[in-house]
Amino acid sequence: MIMAFLLIMVVDGKPLDSTFHFRNAYNCNSYAWMLETGAISPVDKRRVMKQKNLSAYCIPVKVSQKTTTFYD
């Protein structure tokens, strides 16, 4: 078991059933910020469109390294 960070996405008040795990809190929070703001990248602050009714955040979880897919 290792500690990882799970990206939680909430759309219209309902959490999505997706499981995106990251080994690094910085990467997880970067994706959460880009999803919430509609930013193209962490460096380029332009927005494609404003996000409405979307919230994203990361929580620490314990996962098996052998059976978990990581996205960083």
Side-chain angles (χ1 to χ4, degrees):
M1 297 293 271
I2 64 168
M3 186 170 124
F5 298 90
L6 175 63
L7 177 63
I8 305 291
M9 293 172 281
V10 180
V11 179
D12 289 331
K14 298 176 186 171
L16 297 181
D17 291 333
S18 58
T19 53
F20 292 98
H21 289 95
F22 295 87
R23 292 182 184 94
N24 180 314
Y26 178 80
N27 289 341
C28 187
N29 283 317
S30 293
Y31 278 95
W33 179 80
M34 286 188 281
L35 286 167
E36 280 191 343
T37 63
I40 297 169
S41 74
V43 177
D44 189 356
K45 304 293 187 209
R46 291 181 294 154
R47 295 179 181 188
V48 177
M49 57 187 244
K50 290 185 178 180
Q51 303 294 344
K52 295 182 181 177
N53 301 324
L54 186 133
S55 178
Y57 57 92
C58 300
I59 59 170
V61 292
K62 286 185 179 179
V63 295
S64 170
Q65 192 171 4
K66 294 178 182 178
T67 60
T68 304
T69 302
F70 295 97
Y71 292 92
D72 59 349

